[in-house]
């Protein structure tokens, strides 16, 4: 999709999610529209119906920050959705979200040895670096053991999204597969809004849309989210069930790269199982195919 299509579909999908009752609007009992009408969004935002209709057609270039904030308030966007709308507006104005254009080429490795050294220095947690295309660019030893179902025998750069939607092993590795699928697509949608010129991400979306009906449906929902922090559940073929807290850290020296760290609660069964996995990693020495 081009930027205008992205804006149109995003605003329409958000408008469809807000019921009149949630917006504090009295609605007739025989109302046919489940969400809000354009006129209702315009009234809530304090703009003309014509102007809001123009925005929803994708003509968002030049919209002021105050107008965008009002639209976000009317549609009850959360922080991530609000940021996504601003990213789409910046892209329409020709201003990249980061203040400078990212590199167009898809990264296939970490170029700075010091970043790999930093990842390797993390011993008691799973650590890896990924790019906006969901490629695993670097992992520590425990991370390689953890992601052994994904890494396989090497070859193509390991990709979290391809594993999620195209590899049957993902259904076992992610017990909450449906939730993980929604998260993966929403994160990719957010990344696409930040840099609509990312050819690698565009190609990945095209590939997954062609090969996975589930991905195609979730991509069409236009949901967005950031990773941040939280807890995930995994089932590893060696360690068994692992419940791990995660923290997402931006690599500021390399815009777009993310350092992810998974850790278990101290003293928990998952902590004990992760130690077992670490011992297994030392004996098997899983090759690092992300280098």
């Amino acid at each position: 999709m081009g930027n205008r299509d992205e804006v149109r579909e995003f605003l329409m999908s958000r408008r469809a999610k807000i019921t009149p009752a949630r917006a504090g609007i009295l609605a007739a009992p025989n109302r046919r529209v489940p969400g809000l009408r354009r006129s209702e969004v315009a009234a809530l935002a304090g703009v003309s119906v014509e102007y809001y209709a123009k925005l929803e057609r994708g003509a968002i270039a030049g919209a002021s920050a105050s107008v965008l904030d009002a639209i976000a308030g009317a549609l009850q966007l959360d922080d991530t959705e609000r940021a996504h709308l601003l990213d789409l507006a910046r892209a329409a104005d020709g201003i990249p979200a980061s203040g400078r254009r990212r590199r167009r080429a898809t990264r296939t490795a970490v170029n700075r040895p010091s970043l790999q050294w930093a990842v390797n220095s993390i011993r008691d947690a799973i650590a890896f670096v990924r790019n906006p295309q969901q490629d695993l660019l670097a992992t520590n030893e425990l991370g390689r053991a953890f992601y052994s179902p994904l890494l396989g025998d090497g070859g193509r750069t390991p990709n979290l999204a391809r594993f999620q939607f195209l590899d049957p092993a993902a259904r076992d590795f992610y017990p909450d597969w449906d939730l993980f699928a929604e998260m993966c697509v929403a994160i990719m949608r957010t990344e696409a809004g930040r840099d609509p010129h990312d050819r690698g991400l565009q190609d990945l979306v095209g590939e997954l849309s062609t090969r996975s009906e589930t991905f195609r449906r979730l991509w069409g929902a236009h949901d967005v989210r950031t990773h941040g922090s939280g807890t995930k559940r995994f089932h590893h073929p060696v360690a068994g069930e692992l419940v791990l807290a995660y923290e997402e850290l931006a690599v500021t020296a390399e815009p777009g790269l993310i350092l992810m760290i998974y850790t278990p609660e101290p003293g928990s069964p998952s902590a004990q199982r992760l130690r077992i996995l670490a011992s297994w990693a030392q004996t098997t020495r899983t090759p690092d195919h992300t280098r």
Side-chain angles (χ1 to χ4, degrees), residues 10-25:
F10 179 66
L11 289 177
M12 289 177 63
S13 67
R14 299 312 94 178
R15 177 164 62 86
K17 285 191 168 187
I18 304 297
T19 63
R22 184 175 164 186
I25 297 173

Side-chain angles (χ1 to χ4, degrees), residues 63 66 68 123 128 141 178 201 219 241 247:
S66 60
L68 295 174
R123 302 291 186 183
F128 62 92
E141 183 173 75
D178 291 333
L201 185 54
W219 188 257
E241 181 169 293
E247 294 287 340

Side-chain angles (χ1 to χ4, degrees), residues 107-116 129 137-138 257 290-291:
R107 292 176 177 271
T108 56
V110 169
N111 294 324
R112 289 187 298 108
S114 60
L115 181 54
Q116 180 67 66
V129 175
L137 304 184
L257 297 192
T290 63
R291 292 186 181 178

Side-chain angles (χ1 to χ4, degrees), residues 232-264:
K232 290 182 178 180
R233 188 165 63 102
F234 304 89
H235 188 273
H236 193 275
V238 173
E241 181 169 293
L242 295 168
V243 178
L244 304 173
Y246 63 87
E247 294 287 340
E248 178 184 90
L249 308 173
V251 182
T252 56
E254 301 283 351
L257 297 192
I258 294 297
L259 171 62
M260 290 290 297
I261 300 177
Y262 288 126
T263 53

